[in-house]
Every structure is written in structure tokens, then in C-alpha cells.
Amino acid sequence: MIAFVLGSGGMGTASFSTSDTPRENVVNVTSDESAAHSLDVASAVHINATDPLVNVTNRLEEDVTVTVTLRSDSTQIGDLVVDGTNDGNETTFTLAEQNTQTVKIMIPDDTSLTTETVYFHVSATAPSLEVSAPDRNAPVNE
């Protein structure tokens, strides 16, 4: 069984929405914390800061390619940052098995953004595997 989960750890919990696999495979979607792939979404992000937005953990027994994309109505809020590099509205990285990558968001000093919510999508692919977690979100606080 392969399970996909958005994990907890103080940042919120929810499940992957879709999974595409070849017909001969069975994939369960679960909220089990020990699932094969997890996302730990921030409970909030802040203006004039570069805060963690999502931690992606790969518990599969193979490397995956992960893409995090700001939804079109959130691109004005800030830029995604991975390992200190500003990647703009989308970032893609390879995540080795049993590793975690933090994707941050850099938000400018603009108090008008405190009424916003940042929405984003996360997808992961490997040979014969594709999963997605659309419309994840975190409020923007001062």
C-alpha cells in the first residue's frame, strides 16, 4: 500500500486530493502520519519575513520530483524560496527518499497583505507515480 498524507507537527493536516497510478496499482489516500509522502503546511506566514510555508517529506523508497506553485491569485503576495534561492511563483526540486525539504515564502513589508491568504499547489512525481495536493493555504499575518 502507498499512502499520501499532509502531516502535522504544528503546521496543519490535510490529505492529498488526487493520485494517478497505472491500472495495476492500488493507492489509498489517508491521513496516517506514517504515510509514504507528507506535507506539513504552515499555520500562518508573516509580512516582512521569509517564513516556512510547507515542509515536504519523502517517505517513499525512491526519489521524487516535487513542484510547489503559488496559485494565480496568490502570486502577488510573495516569492517561494528554497535553500536561500528566490524561485518566484514556482519551485521544483528532487527530494531523495527519507528526506525533507522546506519551501519558504518571502513576503514584503506591505501591511495590506495581512488580509490575504496564500494559496499553493504541491505535486510529486516518480516513475509510475503522480500525486497532487491542490489549494493548500496559509493566512498572512502581521
Side-chain angles (χ1 to χ4, degrees):
M1 172 176 63
I2 299 175
F4 301 97
V5 66
L6 297 175
S8 57
M11 291 178 67
T13 303
S15 302
F16 270 97
S17 298
T18 64
S19 176
D20 294 327
T21 62
R23 284 186 175 271
E24 64 274 5
N25 291 339
V26 174
V27 175
N28 292 326
V29 179
T30 182
S31 60
D32 182 356
E33 286 184 339
S34 63
H37 209 124
S38 69
L39 299 178
D40 194 8
V41 179
S43 58
V45 292
H46 301 87
I47 63 166
N48 198 29
T50 302
D51 287 334
L53 179 63
V54 62
N55 293 319
V56 182
T57 302
N58 178 8
R59 292 191 183 105
L60 297 170
E61 294 181 4
E62 63 183 319
D63 296 354
V64 295
T65 300
V66 176
T67 300
V68 179
T69 307
L70 293 177
R71 203 169 77 177
S72 62
D73 58 353
S74 293
T75 57
Q76 80 289 354
I77 294 173
D79 291 329
L80 298 175
V81 176
V82 175
D83 293 331
T85 300
N86 183 331
D87 290 328
N89 298 327
E90 181 175 281
T91 186
T92 299
F93 50 89
T94 299
L95 188 57
E97 60 184 272
Q98 306 305 316
N99 283 316
T100 299
Q101 177 66 60
T102 299
V103 177
K104 297 180 179 184
I105 187 164
M106 181 175 50
I107 301 175
D109 188 7
D110 180 351
T111 57
S112 70
L113 295 173
T114 59
T115 61
E116 298 287 336
T117 298
V118 70
Y119 291 92
F120 60 98
H121 311 295
V122 181
S123 63
T125 59
S128 301
L129 173 71
E130 182 177 307
V131 294
S132 65
D135 296 326
R136 301 306 180 224
N137 66 78
V140 179
N141 293 337
E142 210 168 324

